[in-house]
Amino acid sequence: MYVVPPPQRSDSGSNGDLRVYQTWKGSNIFFLQGRFVFGPDVRSLALTICLIAVPVTIFCIFVARKLMDDFSDSWGVSIVVVAVVFTIYDLILLLLTSGRDPGIIPRNAHPPEPEGLDGNMDAGAGQTPQLRLPRIKEVELNGITFKVKYCDTCMLYRPPRCSHCSICNNCVERFDHHCPWVGQCIGLRNYRFFFMFVFSTTLLCIFVFAFCWVYIRKIMESEHTTIWKAMLKTPASIVLIIYTFISMWFVGGLTAFHLYLISTNQTTYENFRYRYDRRSNPHNKGVINNFKETFCSSIPASKNDFRAMIQREPPLPPRSVAGGFMSPNMGKANDDIEMGRKAVWADMGPAMSEHGDGKNGNNERLHVKDGELGELSPDIRTTVDEQSDRPGMHPRRSSWGRKSGSWDMSPEVMALAARVGEQNQNGGGSSSGSGLVTENRPT
């Protein structure tokens, strides 16, 4: 049996000129042709930069510049230089945290091969048993058994300490959390820079906070006034003191929390999910080794080359059935011919739906084409037309077991045919027979 093969893909829509970042299935946003990868909430990065740069700018203009006159030699200039350099360093750490691959695991194009059959699936005759992937697998790493879960989105089993970020829509190695302030996931490849960014921001807040008080102290000494009057003379210092005091509680508390996580070799996700403080942590190597692993170990290379060219996809392989190819239309109405049904019966749908099944079965052959009656004699053809017009006639059952128009002649037709034969033998001719049949038409 020949079945039409599926159509081949056209080369007009080829992906040969596209790069990986242009067809990336995650929610990431790329800049500079895939050189920088950010999360979908990258706009929050601009807010974070403003929250750092604007207060430092106010400090340099209204506080540090005034302190240059109060300190001799280069001490006054060093205050401005330290503030500017420390801010630039802090912003660089922010970009290193936000603009790099945090440890994304590439997706699989196809799910992994199932390891066994599903025992609950009964395979009947002619049916293939259903193969299912286990949701959880146990893997052994360094003598410790871990349970890894299957990710339906990435079609892979996540390695230990890996989790799927619902915001970036990627599986990230050593997933810590998704930080909205940097607009990126925090994972294996950027956690070090994230902690350094938070810690340096805390130090910057302390630096600005301290020198604002130094400037107020200088005003009190130079004008011999109270602290309240000195504060009124520099409202910028008051605003910066309040701002940095609030910020220190936020970034300072975050720094202390991550120092605890580093010392116990935990991630934020593990701390809130598994609560290792109530049971043994299989990743804990001791305080010193934990800090060495975070700050002294080499950062692994990215598993994704976002600027690589996409290989042209091969055409989809046809699905075979019984040693052949499956047609895209297999199982549809045009297979009725091979199933023993003739295409002419497809025109019966409207007549059957209007009159119901079995009530007006002779209408099944009301739409017979003239060519199908050409081989009959005019007498039988006229009689068949009469029979189709009679309301009391019903179709016969064919050998196929279903109702259909039948060319078996009724007794009336047989009687008419006998009379026509007698007239022909008597020399009456076919025309008189035809006229006799016409005269017996019902009015």
Side-chain angles (χ1 to χ4, degrees):
M1 179 180 66
Y2 174 79
V3 183
V4 180
Q8 300 294 331
R9 287 186 174 182
S10 175
D11 292 336
S12 58
S14 174
N15 294 333
D17 297 334
L18 297 179
R19 297 184 184 271
V20 172
Y21 76 92
Q22 293 175 312
T23 58
W24 186 252
K25 295 182 180 180
S27 303
N28 303 90
I29 298 176
F30 298 87
F31 287 95
L32 297 180
Q33 298 181 350
R35 291 178 173 87
F36 293 93
V37 51
F38 297 91
D41 48 351
V42 65
R43 294 181 179 179
S44 61
L45 184 63
L47 175 62
T48 304
I49 293 176
C50 291
L51 292 176
I52 296 174
V54 172
V56 173
T57 303
I58 296 174
F59 172 78
C60 292
I61 295 175
F62 296 99
V63 178
R65 186 173 60 87
K66 301 291 183 63
L67 289 175
M68 292 174 61
D69 302 331
D70 296 333
F71 289 93
S72 59
D73 298 331
S74 60
W75 282 104
V77 178
S78 62
I79 297 174
V80 178
V81 172
V82 170
V84 173
V85 172
F86 213 79
T87 302
I88 295 175
Y89 170 73
D90 195 37
L91 295 178
I92 291 175
L93 291 175
L94 174 61
L95 293 178
L96 288 175
T97 304
S98 180
R100 67 184 296 143
D101 177 10
I104 300 174
I105 299 179
R107 303 187 183 195
N108 287 333
H110 306 284
E113 292 293 334
E115 296 181 353
L117 300 178
D118 185 7
N120 297 327
M121 185 68 183
D122 295 332
Q127 296 182 356
T128 303
Q130 185 177 359
L131 300 178
R132 288 187 179 180
L133 293 169
R135 299 295 303 174
I136 298 177
K137 290 177 58 177
E138 291 186 354
V139 297
E140 186 174 349
L141 183 63
N142 296 329
I144 302 175
T145 302
F146 296 93
K147 291 183 178 180
V148 295
K149 294 181 179 180
Y150 179 75
C151 179
D152 294 315
T153 304
C154 301
M155 292 186 290
L156 52 83
Y157 283 98
R158 304 169 190 161
R161 314 192 80 177
C162 171
S163 183
H164 189 90
C165 177
S166 59
I167 300 177
C168 293
N169 198 22
N170 296 311
C171 281
V172 180
E173 288 186 285
R174 202 184 184 276
F175 177 77
D176 190 88
H177 69 289
H178 183 93
C179 181
W181 296 101
V182 302
Q184 182 63 284
C185 289
I186 307 302
L188 178 65
R189 300 190 67 251
N190 63 349
Y191 179 79
R192 178 185 305 175
F193 301 107
F194 170 76
F195 176 81
M196 295 172 65
F197 162 71
V198 174
F199 181 67
S200 62
T201 305
T202 303
L203 295 180
L204 184 60
C205 289
I206 295 174
F207 180 84
V208 174
F209 180 84
F211 276 96
C212 284
W213 281 113
V214 170
Y215 181 53
I216 293 175
R217 181 69 179 176
K218 289 292 182 181
I219 294 177
M220 293 174 58
E221 293 178 353
S222 61
E223 298 186 6
H224 303 284
T225 183
T226 62
I227 185 174
W228 302 109
K229 291 182 179 180
M231 293 172 64
L232 293 176
K233 291 182 177 294
T234 172
S237 298
I238 304 304
V239 173
L240 290 175
I241 287 174
I242 296 174
Y243 176 79
T244 54
F245 179 78
I246 297 174
S247 300
M248 277 190 297
W249 281 102
F250 175 70
V251 293
L254 197 60
T255 301
F257 175 68
H258 279 278
L259 282 173
Y260 161 73
L261 293 179
I262 294 173
S263 63
T264 57
N265 204 336
Q266 298 183 61
T267 64
T268 304
Y269 180 80
E270 292 170 347
N271 181 263
F272 284 93
R273 180 75 180 268
Y274 302 111
R275 304 296 298 176
Y276 282 140
D277 53 350
R278 298 179 182 177
R279 55 177 178 159
S280 60
N281 181 5
H283 309 289
N284 193 352
K285 303 176 182 178
V287 176
I288 297 178
N289 291 329
N290 291 338
F291 273 91
K292 287 182 178 180
E293 179 181 334
T294 302
F295 297 105
C296 300
S297 62
S298 60
I299 298 176
S302 174
K303 292 181 171 61
N304 303 279
D305 186 3
F306 298 108
R307 304 192 72 252
M309 303 299 295
I310 297 179
Q311 299 294 331
R312 179 175 298 181
E313 297 180 359
L316 294 176
R319 297 171 59 187
S320 60
V321 177
F325 296 96
M326 176 177 286
S327 169
N329 296 321
M330 178 67 75
K332 296 185 179 180
N334 56 356
D335 289 330
D336 292 341
I337 297 177
E338 296 182 2
M339 298 299 294
R341 298 176 59 188
K342 296 183 180 179
V344 69
W345 300 108
D347 297 332
M348 294 172 11
M352 294 297 293
S353 60
E354 291 176 4
H355 299 88
D357 294 336
K359 293 182 180 180
N360 197 10
N362 57 341
N363 286 336
E364 295 178 355
R365 297 300 291 179
L366 289 178
H367 303 285
V368 177
K369 299 179 181 180
D370 293 338
E372 298 184 24
L373 301 176
E375 298 179 357
L376 299 177
S377 65
D379 303 321
I380 302 303
R381 180 173 181 178
T382 305
T383 306
V384 171
D385 293 336
E386 293 174 2
Q387 298 293 332
S388 63
D389 293 335
R390 291 187 182 183
M393 297 299 294
H394 297 279
R396 301 193 178 195
R397 295 277 178 174
S398 65
S399 59
W400 289 91
R402 60 179 174 83
K403 289 184 286 186
S404 63
S406 175
W407 295 112
D408 296 338
M409 292 181 289
S410 65
E412 293 177 328
V413 178
M414 294 294 294
L416 291 174
R419 292 176 59 185
V420 171
E422 293 176 359
Q423 291 179 4
N424 289 334
Q425 292 177 0
N426 296 332
S430 61
S431 60
S432 61
S434 175
L436 180 60
V437 174
T438 305
E439 291 175 359
N440 291 333
R441 289 184 180 179
T443 56

